[in-house]
Structure formats: C-alpha cells, structure tokens
Amino acid sequence: MVRTDKNHVKNPQFTDKFNEVESRSTPKSYLFDPLPKLTESSPITRYYHFELEIVKLSPDGFERPVWSVNGQYPGPLIQANKGDRLVINVTNNFGDPASIHWHGIFQRETNWYDGMSGQTQCPIPNRISFTYNYTVDQFGTFWYHSHFLAQYVDGFVGPLIVHDSDDPYLDSYHEDYVITVSDWYHSPSAPLLVQRLAPHYTGFNPYPDAALISGLGQYNCSAAPAEIQIRIINTSAYAFFTFSIDNHPLKIIKVEGTPVKNVSAATMNVLQLHIAQRYSVILTADQPIDNYYIRASIIDSCLLPRTNNTINYNSSINFNATGILHYHGADSKNPTSTAYPFTFPLCQDLNASSIRPYKDSPAPTNVTNDFVFNITFARNDDDVGLLGINNSSFMPIFNNPANQRVMLKENYTDFDEDQNPTNHPFHLHGHAFWIIAQGPGAFLSNISTSEYDLENPVIRDTAIIPTQLIERPTEFSNRTLPDDVRALCMQFDNYKKQKRLTTLPRDSKIKRIRMFRKVKNQF
C-alpha cells in the first residue's frame, strides 16, 4: 500500500515537454518487496540497459522534473553475485552530459569505468551511448549515482547489491530488502548550484524541502517474515539521517561491503547514517501483530544554520519521513507506536565497538606514506565560499580526465594544485580502508598514538577521506586505455564545441557559467 498526496503542485518554470507525471502509487517492486533470489551458482555476465531521461514525478507530492534511469526514481535495481561481470549500456537523453559512478566498487583493472567525470572518464554527451563493463570481486551493499555536477541530487541514483555464498550471515535471515533514505529539493539542482556558487553569496548550502524513504514521503511496507535483512542507503545531497523501526531493534551485520562481528553493541534502536553510507541490518519480527512506524529523520542540528541569506531558508520541510511496517493480520489503521529515544552524539559515525570486522583484520604497521589533509573553507577570487583540502579546491577537467593524462605519460607531479583534492569529502574511490583513530579538533596531534587501534579497526569505504590520490602512477601509466573510453572523450569534445557547452542542465535558465579552463599540455 502506498499513500499519496493528491494535491500536486505544478512548477511554472517547466513546460510540458517532459513526459507525463508518473503516479506515486505504482512503486517499483524492489522498493517494497523482498529482493528477487539469484539462482546462478557460478559467475555469469549480467546485461542492463539504462535510458537516461527527464520525467515528471512527485516523490513527496510536489511535481517536478526528475533526472531518471528508465523513467524511475530511485533507478533500477542491479543485483549480482560476487565474481559476476556487469555490462551496463547507458544511453544519455538528458540533453546534457552525464556519467555513472558505481559507489563502493573497487574497479580493479577497470579504473576507466569508475564513472568520475574529469578524473576517470569524459562525460557521456547527449544522445550518445556508452557501455560500462567490469567484474565485481566484492559483496555487500553499494549504489550507483551520477558523477556529473549535481545530477544525483535530481534523482539519478539506484541500488547495487552484490551477494556471496560465503556471506557469514547468509542463514541469519529469510528475506532481503533494500531501503534508500534521502533529502529532496523541489527545485532542480542547477539553479541551486548557480546561486550557491554565485559571487558574494554569504549563505550556506541550500535547505532541503523533504525527507524521503525509497523515493517517497509516505508508504506502507509489505508484511515481513520472522527475520529479514534490510539494506539501508543514504543517497542524500546534504542531510545526516537517523533510521529506526518502532519496537524493533536493528542488528547490524554489514557496513558497506564488510561483514561485522556478532556482538551486543551491534544491535541498536536507532541508526546514524551519513551521506552515502550503507548498513545491512537484521530485523526480527517478533512483536504483537500490529502496524509500526518506520522512521527516517533528517537531523536539523547536523545541517548548517538556516540564515536569511541561505537558499531556500524558508523551506517548510518535514524532517521526518515515515513508512509502516505492517504485520500480516493487522488492521489498516495508522500505527500508535512511539519512536525510540536516543542519547548518542549526533552527526558522528557509529561507535567502533558496534561495527568491527567479522574476521579480524589488523591494520598494516609497515606504513609507507603519511598524508595530512587539512579541511579549509575560504572565498576564492570570485568571492565564492568553497571547501578546500590544504587550501585548494578541485576543478574537474571534463574533456581530459586525470587517469588518461597519466596513461598518456603526462607528468603527474606537474599537475596544478586544484587537480589534487576533489569535492567529494565522504568516500575514497576504489578502496575500503581501516579507520585506526578519530577525534575532534583541528590538529592530528589531538589524537594520541596510544589511541590508535591496529588490531581490528573499523573497515569502511565511506568516511571523511576527502582527496583525489593518484596511486602507483608508473604502473598505471603502462595500462592500455580501451578504445571506447578514448573515443568517448572525442565525442564529448565535439559535443562541447557544437553546443558551446554551459555544463549546466538546460532548465537552469543560466546563459553561461565558467566551469572549464585550459591547462598545460591538455591535448
């Protein structure tokens, strides 16, 4: 059952050139039903076709254009077994360039399919098809999203689930579900981005208009068996979430792609999720037959202040998205359950004691390099406030990605300063990593080396690791770039010349914004 707000509001900024609005009462099956079981036992090749198109949808009752995959938000489910090969053909009909990053997938030996515009590939121009082709040698909960400007904020996201017959928790649940939580904006991201990057802007990040669970403001879950696995993905642009199900403690069994120990600390009433983080939990349906609220809440205090100068500061946001866990045999009335109280420190990662790896994984002690990244905030020459790493903010060169520059033997030590850090402060592409210590304050010296956990530290792929690193560049420079990846840059360059590319979606109503610049030895 899905509850919808019939009072759709039409946004006068957009014309009827988009597809007709799709009803919120026709959810995609994977959002509200158990994940389909995969029957194959040996690695196979799985083929997908993604049509990128802008459609009218109303995720929270407000109609707006959504940057969709195959006409849906969130996008189609990708499921695979560890060892499978994924071949995803993408046809871009957005009217603007696009790319897809497979968040959490290591892309060993296939770095050029990682999907980062200006770093590992050129963007896919409009009306051009491109095929991603890689093998998954991990298992866990992942997701895919656009890596071109802020398109993922407009709906270009979807889940990517990889199973493994050696999963230590495989027999601990009967069914498997996936849930996404997200902040949502009534305006497309392009005009928000232009305003946010306007010279002399003194506000903070645009304020969201809604909180969503699996792409909807309100919905009612299907009946659950005794034990189910729920995979929770925070696909937000800005918001820190808490997630809970009334009367049902959640037992964490995986963090991103890493199984965790079966300890009492791993069972908790309320989960904390930063942007792009994922947890797999087991819910035991052992409560009286009834209806219980599912709660996904944006924590207001984890957002920057809502000053009068901030874009959308007068948002009438409801910080709480709710669903309903419905037991078979219960009536159709609204739940009367109450939310769990919580006292843990907000806006932080989960306590390490609850998510240590299932198999002890000591951190290496023969450290070869130390890097210190200082997070800074400063105003550039155009008086635009930007985050930086060591006083520098990343500028993508869309038609000459960093990995191709290395493979074409360009001297990576001579890259400009703004090619070192990137504006992606939550996730290290291509890796999971040990978190041996965390602490408050501006200086590394605030954390004593005696506090380092080298025995079995937390392993994640999403935390505060905010930089672009070029690893083993000599070895990487000897790799051969696939012809289709090289050709994509030629297609993008032709597209840019023909369109006099603005790099912003056509609905931004902005004539021009400078996002490209010439660099030494670019061609």
Side-chain angles (χ1 to χ4, degrees), residues 50 52 66-69 73 75 90 92 94 96-103 114-124 132 143-159 189 235-237 276 398 423-424 427 429 503 505:
F50 282 5
L52 309 185
V66 173
W67 274 243
S68 76
V69 180
Y73 167 71
V90 180
N92 180 14
F94 278 160
D96 299 286
S99 71
I100 304 181
H101 172 54
W102 316 95
H103 193 110
D114 195 46
M116 294 179 288
S117 296
Q119 291 171 278
T120 62
Q121 72 165 80
C122 292
I124 306 169
Y132 293 91
W143 62 301
Y144 62 85
H145 59 82
S146 171
H147 216 289
F148 185 78
L149 297 182
Q151 287 174 346
Y152 97 80
V153 181
D154 292 316
F156 189 174
V157 301
S189 63
T235 64
S236 295
F398 290 132
N423 54 354
H424 200 328
H427 170 51
H429 287 219
T503 78

